[in-house]
């Protein structure tokens, strides 16, 4: 998710979920987005009825390490 957002700037939640191959992956994407939001690494806004995700910045290595703990 972080790689996608840093590479493209933004993505919708629907786009991220559409790339998932199973229901379990959709749930994992959703939970990951919630975790990244709680960390302040991802911002969520609404645009045309879609949830738009934007990377809020920060050191991606530190973010990944914090998630892995």
């Amino acid at each position: 998710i972080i790689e996608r957002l840093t590479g493209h700037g933004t993505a919708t939640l629907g786009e991220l979920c559409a790339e998932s191959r199973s229901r379990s992956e959709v749930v994992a994407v959703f939970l990951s987005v919630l975790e990244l939001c709680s960390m302040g690494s991802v911002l969520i806004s609404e645009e045309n009825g879609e949830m738009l995700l934007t990377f809020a910045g920060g050191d991606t290595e530190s973010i990944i390490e914090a998630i892995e703990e």
Side-chain angles (χ1 to χ4, degrees), residues 24-62:
S24 297
E25 285 186 14
V26 171
V27 171
V29 165
F30 182 74
L31 292 175
S32 297
V33 168
L34 290 179
E35 180 67 24
L36 290 167
C37 287
S38 73
M39 295 172 62
S41 300
V42 171
L43 302 174
I44 299 178
S45 59
E46 185 179 353
E47 186 175 291
N48 300 323
E50 295 255 15
M51 301 302 279
L52 186 65
L53 309 174
T54 306
F55 183 63
D59 178 39
T60 56
E61 292 298 320
S62 298

